[in-house]
Amino acid sequence: MASAVTDSGPRVVVIGAGIIGQSTAYYLAHAGAAVTLMDSDDGPSPTSRSSLGVLTHAYGADDAYSSFYRDCHALHEPLSALLLQETGIDVGWRPLGGIDLAFDEGEAGTLRDWVDLNLSRGAEAEWLDESTLREAEPGLTTAALGGARFPQDGRVDPVRLGTALRVAAQKRGTVVRTSTTVTEIRPLDGGVDCHLAMASGECTESYDVAVVTTGAWTGELAPSVRVRPIRGQSGFFSGVHVRHVLRWGGLHALPDGDDTLVGGTVDEVGFDLTTTDAARQELMAWSGRLFDPAPSLRQLRAGLRPKPRRGRPVITPLETGTLFVATGHYKSGILMGPHTGQVVARWIMEGSPGRDMSPFTIAR
Ligand SMILES: Cc1cc2nc3c(=O)[nH]c(=O)nc-3n(C[C@H](O)[C@H](O)[C@H](O)COP(=O)(O)OP(=O)(O)OC[C@H]3O[C@@H](n4cnc5c(N)ncnc54)[C@H](O)[C@@H]3O)c2cc1C
């Protein structure tokens, strides 16, 4: 049996190089672990590639989940500055602000209440009447009656964020192994054995700790963690420029270079990553309703959101000290990824997560 990387820190294998795995590897490497990051693929995960990267503001109360969410949101600005220093990569963190749009009086009433609730919980929020909305977003059709603006909404580029985290981790010694599928994990006394399948053959490697960050595929390695793949599709549109994150009817539009990125659709079709005509039609109809003239769809992408059984991510040790899982971030993995990685790294290196993680156990 081959022995894994050796170093003075614990030898940790992070399985799955999506945003959660890349974040975990980054913080582990910072803390002095000898990290190996493995993925069955050899490029950015399809989920990150199709993700919008919206960082919706925090508006919750003071419970453990809301405070975790708030810290996830707050981490992005300083992390983006640090990653720029460490790697020279601009991860595209931008405090764009978000606007929820109203197209009829019913929607306007609901959004006004939403503004009041946010203000009462300490979030920044304001109601924009029709003419203020038009000044803020000149490309919108005249059908929009107004909107609720949330200045603390932001955006980060998911692929650039993942790349910067991985490059920074590699600079601190992380070994990245692509086209390597972990087919089995066997917890042992004081460690784990991982069975690997690669083009060159199969082998078993030993590590002190394994972290499963395989997103929608988590059930294959950790059957006690119930996560379902929910396909989401997003498209790059040309011919319209937006300034904010615009939201309506469950979809978003936001600026991405010279394009406007619109998404994401929701359907459950197992592990199917194909893009569909139905999604194309849905995104085009939505854009046609919001913008005048209607923009044209240039490119469509699909990813698989990992949907947990009980609505919240699972971030927990499975075997005390040697096997961890961090998955099920569903629609908020880009927002929650970095802080999730930070907490898991602290848990492994210091023996405690440093905060109340009871909302994220399997049996919660
Ligand atoms: C259309 C769309 C829009 C979205 N918009 C947003 C948004 O605005 N804001 C936000 O915060 N989130 C958003 N999300 C959600 C976010 O993208 C996901 O929650 C996040 O990317 C999940 O990351 P992950 O690392 O858990 O999983 P993944 O990115 O899927 O990574 C898992 C990795 O594990 C690898 N893997 C699987 N099995 C194995 C194995 N056995 N061995 C080795 N490797 C393995 C896979 O190849 C994959 O690379 C969106 C998602 C979609 C699809």
Side-chain angles (χ1 to χ4, degrees):
M1 183 185 314
S3 181
V5 188
T6 54
D7 200 0
S8 48
R11 299 161 310 149
V12 184
V13 60
V14 180
I15 305 162
I19 200 70
I20 309 299
Q22 288 166 321
S23 301
T24 305
Y26 171 78
Y27 283 105
L28 279 167
H30 257 269
V35 185
T36 304
L37 175 63
M38 293 182 181
D39 202 287
S40 11
D41 249 328
D42 59 1
S45 95
T47 312
S48 301
R49 248 191 345 248
S50 54
S51 179
L52 304 177
V54 174
L55 309 173
T56 304
H57 68 282
Y59 53 84
D62 284 328
D63 57 284
Y65 179 79
S66 302
S67 118
F68 182 84
Y69 186 99
R70 198 170 293 117
D71 290 347
C72 288
H73 187 271
L75 180 58
H76 278 274
E77 182 177 5
L79 177 63
S80 68
L82 190 59
L83 288 171
L84 183 61
Q85 267 177 28
E86 290 179 331
T87 66
I89 298 172
D90 172 6
V91 302
W93 178 84
R94 302 284 182 271
L96 297 173
I99 303 179
D100 287 274
L101 300 169
F103 282 85
D104 60 39
E105 288 303 338
E107 289 176 354
T110 305
L111 286 179
R112 281 202 180 88
D113 292 345
W114 185 227
V115 167
D116 291 343
L117 180 72
N118 273 268
L119 289 171
S120 73
R121 289 183 171 175
E124 292 175 35
E126 64 175 330
W127 174 252
L128 306 181
D129 63 20
E130 203 174 330
S131 67
T132 324
L133 175 63
R134 203 80 53 229
E135 277 167 35
E137 284 293 347
L140 282 174
T141 65
T142 50
L145 298 183
R149 174 149 65 187
F150 299 98
Q152 292 159 317
D153 288 345
R155 200 248 165 170
V156 68
D157 183 300
V159 173
R160 279 195 267 152
L161 175 61
T163 304
L165 289 163
R166 195 185 61 247
V167 168
Q170 284 176 294
K171 284 180 177 231
R172 289 176 183 267
T174 293
V175 175
V176 176
R177 305 241 304 258
T178 56
S179 306
T180 304
T181 301
V182 178
T183 54
E184 194 187 347
I185 305 172
R186 257 174 271 131
L188 308 164
D189 247 6
V192 277
D193 273 0
C194 294
H195 192 72
L196 313 179
M198 298 150 288
S200 56
E202 299 189 9
C203 69
T204 298
E205 291 183 356
S206 303
Y207 292 88
D208 297 321
V209 182
V211 188
V212 178
T213 54
T214 48
W217 294 268
T218 300
E220 292 170 8
L221 288 176
S224 61
V225 182
R226 306 278 290 279
V227 175
R228 294 181 354 239
I230 304 292
R231 183 169 61 185
Q233 297 176 63
S234 59
F236 293 92
F237 283 76
S238 52
V240 66
H241 294 287
V242 300
R243 298 171 178 170
H244 299 81
V245 176
L246 300 179
R247 283 182 289 255
W248 181 72
L251 296 180
H252 299 65
L254 52 89
D256 186 284
D258 291 337
D259 288 325
T260 292
L261 182 55
V262 177
T265 62
V266 177
D267 63 351
E268 185 162 3
V269 287
F271 291 90
D272 182 352
L273 273 164
T274 46
T275 55
T276 62
D277 275 344
R280 179 177 295 272
Q281 297 305 330
E282 182 181 343
L283 297 181
M284 283 178 15
W286 188 87
S287 306
R289 168 132 203 213
L290 260 69
F291 305 113
D292 187 17
S296 42
L297 179 56
R298 208 172 53 67
Q299 192 187 9
L300 195 60
R301 291 176 169 177
L304 297 175
R305 304 180 185 94
K307 183 170 185 185
R309 192 158 61 115
R310 293 182 202 262
R312 286 178 183 175
V314 176
I315 308 165
T316 189
L318 292 182
E319 301 282 336
T320 313
T322 59
L323 179 57
F324 286 75
V325 65
T327 189
H329 292 72
Y330 192 37
K331 293 186 174 181
S332 302
I334 306 303
L335 185 142
M336 290 187 164
H339 188 51
T340 296
Q342 197 174 36
V343 169
V344 171
R346 191 178 301 146
W347 216 329
I348 291 169
M349 300 302 282
E350 298 173 19
S352 147
R355 66 179 308 142
D356 180 1
M357 292 300 283
S358 57
F360 306 104
T361 59
I362 296 177
R364 65 192 180 265

